[in-house]
Amino acid sequence: KVANGGSVAWARQCADADAAIESALDLFERAPASFRDRPAVVAVADGLHRVRGVVTRVAPRTTAHPPGAEAASPPAKVARTERAREIDAPVPKLPHLTLKYLDTKGLAEPARLALTVGRIPFEDVRVSYEDVARLRAAGELPFGQVPVLEVRDAEGSAPTPFGQSSAILRFVGRLANLYPSDPGDLRQLRVDAVEELLADARRAFVPLWYRNALPRSPTDGSAPEATALDDARVAAATRLVNDTYLPARAAQVERLLESTAGLPGGEAVRDAGPYVCGDEVTVADLSLYVFFEGVTDAGGGYCPGVDATDAVERCPRLKRLLDAVANRPDVEAWNASVRERRETAKKAATTSG
């Protein structure tokens, strides 16, 4: 797309691809209903629609038609093919991205993984709590907290910082083609539902993380003394999270994975792979992996005293999804690189000490 954007040859190829897809969809629409309603056929048709969406997005957007493009498209389908080309060329280059967060997985790891899986170059900056205070005082944190994504255009302009982990994840998910964003694509609701569920689950950790009824102050990052919790209340909250909250959330994810809600191909798409949207990994899968790995034997450490290992074991579809993400070569390579970097830093600190 980047190399060929705006060229006549690329425009003709996109027009030919669009025409071929339209012809295939025409055949599908003329087929008997008994044939069209078969799950496998519905899945194929859904795939064709999605491929057409890809062609629409990558087609050079020009006002002039490439030579021969009109003849390549069936007359009855010209309007759709025209719409795929009515945009500006050339295709813009990817921006330079810098993701700043603490040296932990937390709220930034899904975005880090999305950029890694999507092969989107980015600068991974790990900061300390002292760095966060300094950045906050300097006005470089839009909402007074991390993560923050600094975006600089390809021409090297001054970086613009953006906050809020969910907004960052959706943005990089679109860049990496890991977020279904086409109008009318119900898979977006499926993915967003998972993200919102995990946000609800994380809210239950507030009294455990901060020993407080409220999260850190958005102005200075401190924990308010007036709402501090004693040991007994923290222990009670930990028991409830382990015994009620996390098992319930895991079961809710399992029910979503068992359902076909938002999947145009129904059971055929659901069973085609282990992920939230079948065989296509999305940001939702990466978020589930980061969250549950942090509260099970696989990783631990996301929240002290919390363990959802048994709850996940009772959810076979969820466990299959977590294993699939963990065993992806790109995720394994990313995790190995992080471990290596930490070991190198630890050795350097030991030597200097």
Side-chain angles (χ1 to χ4, degrees):
K1 175 182 175 182
V2 173
N4 297 299
S7 73
V8 171
W10 182 248
R12 182 183 291 111
Q13 291 169 6
C14 289
D16 291 345
D18 186 77
I21 294 168
E22 291 289 356
S23 297
L25 288 173
D26 281 345
L27 290 174
F28 171 79
E29 291 167 2
R30 291 199 299 268
S34 59
F35 177 79
R36 294 199 311 268
D37 293 340
R38 295 178 184 176
V41 177
V42 172
V44 170
D46 175 60
L48 287 170
H49 282 290
R50 298 203 319 253
V51 170
R52 187 175 62 188
V54 172
V55 172
T56 299
R57 290 196 299 273
V58 303
R61 304 187 171 195
T62 60
T63 54
H65 305 295
E70 294 88 341
S73 302
K77 303 297 180 181
V78 166
R80 294 186 188 178
T81 305
E82 297 288 341
R83 189 166 62 246
R85 297 198 296 264
E86 291 176 349
I87 11 193
D88 299 327
V91 176
K93 296 180 180 179
L94 288 173
H96 180 275
L97 305 176
T98 301
L99 185 57
K100 295 182 178 181
Y101 192 63
L102 303 168
D103 189 17
T104 184
K105 293 185 176 182
L107 299 176
E109 192 71 1
R112 292 171 180 150
L113 288 176
L115 290 164
T116 300
V117 171
R119 300 183 180 183
I120 306 296
F122 75 106
E123 186 177 357
D124 180 27
V125 176
R126 309 292 176 113
V127 297
S128 65
Y129 286 107
E130 292 75 17
D131 293 329
V132 172
R134 176 181 55 79
L135 292 169
R136 184 187 297 115
E140 296 181 30
L141 303 180
F143 300 100
Q145 59 195 9
V146 288
V148 64
L149 181 70
E150 292 181 350
V151 181
R152 178 185 290 121
D153 64 30
E155 281 66 45
S157 63
T160 302
F162 294 91
Q164 297 299 334
S165 57
S166 59
I168 292 170
L169 181 59
R170 287 182 175 89
F171 174 75
V172 302
R174 290 186 180 95
L175 283 182
N177 198 28
L178 298 174
Y179 183 80
S181 55
D182 287 344
D185 190 339
L186 295 181
R187 295 177 306 157
Q188 183 179 140
L189 284 172
R190 192 173 174 94
V191 169
D192 284 347
V194 170
E195 295 295 343
E196 296 301 324
L197 179 145
L198 292 177
D200 288 344
R202 283 189 290 267
R203 276 190 278 272
F205 293 164
V206 166
L208 314 186
W209 278 333
Y210 308 119
R211 300 180 63 85
N212 206 294
L214 292 175
R216 293 182 182 274
S217 167
T219 57
D220 61 11
S222 64
E225 294 183 7
T227 52
L229 302 177
D230 58 25
D231 291 346
R233 291 186 181 276
V234 173
T238 302
R239 285 194 298 272
L240 280 171
V241 168
N242 280 324
D243 298 343
T244 303
Y245 282 68
L246 281 181
R249 295 306 186 189
Q252 288 167 348
V253 174
E254 183 74 4
R255 286 196 293 273
L256 174 67
L257 295 175
E258 289 173 348
S259 79
T260 59
L263 299 178
E267 293 182 358
V269 171
R270 181 198 65 187
D271 297 337
Y275 301 121
V276 170
C277 294
D279 63 347
E280 295 186 21
V281 66
T282 67
V283 293
D285 305 295
L286 304 179
S287 293
L288 286 168
Y289 165 70
V290 171
F291 179 86
F292 280 102
E293 189 224 21
V295 294
T296 60
D297 291 341
Y302 190 74
C303 188
V306 170
D307 188 352
T309 302
D310 291 341
V312 171
E313 289 294 332
R314 294 192 292 269
C315 300
R317 287 183 181 269
L318 173 58
K319 189 173 187 310
R320 180 186 175 212
L321 181 152
L322 301 178
D323 290 342
V325 176
N327 293 325
R328 286 180 59 93
D330 42 19
V331 173
E332 287 183 330
W334 168 258
N335 289 334
S337 70
V338 172
R339 287 193 299 269
E340 182 180 355
R341 181 172 62 181
R342 286 176 176 167
E343 290 171 1
T344 301
K346 185 177 180 179
K347 289 178 181 178
T350 302
T351 302
S352 61

